[in-house]
Amino acid sequence: MSGPRPTQTSLRSETPASFALSADPLQPERLKQTLLNQHAGALATFEGWVRNHNEGKPVDRLEYSSYPELANKEGAKIVQEAQERFAIDGAIALHRTGLLEIGHIAVWVGACAAHRDAAFDACRYIIEEVKRRVPIWKKEYYSDGVSAWVNCHQEAK
């Protein structure tokens, strides 16, 4: 891990729980800092990256689109559910919108807890439910010049 180690005074006793869409690049180190918590002994994160292929086709870039009002409402509901189901101290999930290039982070999820099992379980729950329930659409731009909208809910795991 690079960067400065947080001081004891920078650790909060409460951690946020939220979901957001972002048109700006995601900054994992900054997001991790928002989950620092005095009670937490574990942080589980997931980063979904733009890959250069899908179902045998070479992909050059992606475009994500969403219905923000519904996406933010459903995403917040999922994070709240994770807080109720698992013994976590906080969780954050962000999903990009707009054009993304290969290697960009499309989605980031972090969950902190006193112990790793709850952090892993909550992180997994959030990403699976976001992929399944949040109205986000993906357009793939292929290397042959063709593009197509892909249903994120039907994506391979």
Side-chain angles (χ1 to χ4, degrees):
M1 184 172 138
S2 64
R5 183 174 169 81
T7 63
Q8 194 68 5
T9 57
S10 69
L11 297 176
R12 287 181 287 280
S13 60
E14 293 185 19
T15 306
S18 66
F19 174 88
L21 297 172
S22 176
D24 298 320
L26 303 181
Q27 300 177 18
E29 288 302 319
R30 191 173 191 186
L31 294 168
K32 283 172 51 177
Q33 296 296 317
T34 64
L35 288 171
L36 289 174
N37 182 301
Q38 295 174 350
H39 184 260
L43 170 65
T45 64
F46 172 82
E47 293 180 8
W49 298 345
V50 177
R51 64 180 179 266
N52 69 355
H53 62 95
N54 189 34
E55 297 183 0
K57 295 181 181 176
V59 174
D60 287 344
R61 69 186 63 79
L62 299 178
E63 180 179 359
Y64 286 101
S65 182
S66 181
Y67 177 50
E69 292 80 9
L70 184 56
N72 286 322
K73 183 177 178 181
E74 191 65 20
K77 185 176 174 185
I78 291 167
V79 173
Q80 182 62 40
E81 289 169 3
Q83 288 215 291
E84 294 167 5
R85 288 174 174 239
F86 308 103
I88 59 173
D89 294 317
I92 296 174
L94 284 94
H95 202 295
R96 283 288 314 272
T97 57
L99 281 173
L100 283 77
E101 301 295 329
I102 303 302
H104 283 180
I105 299 172
V107 61
W108 191 91
V109 177
C112 64
H115 302 286
R116 66 182 178 274
D117 285 346
F120 279 129
D121 291 346
C123 190
R124 177 74 185 235
Y125 176 81
I126 292 168
I127 187 58
E128 296 297 339
E129 292 302 307
V130 165
K131 295 285 284 181
R132 192 173 70 82
R133 294 166 37 192
V134 176
I136 295 172
W137 300 276
K138 179 171 67 175
K139 187 174 188 178
E140 294 180 336
Y141 293 86
Y142 304 109
S143 296
D144 63 3
V146 175
S147 61
W149 287 98
V150 176
N151 184 344
C152 290
H153 304 112
Q154 296 174 346
E155 280 287 300
K157 290 185 177 182

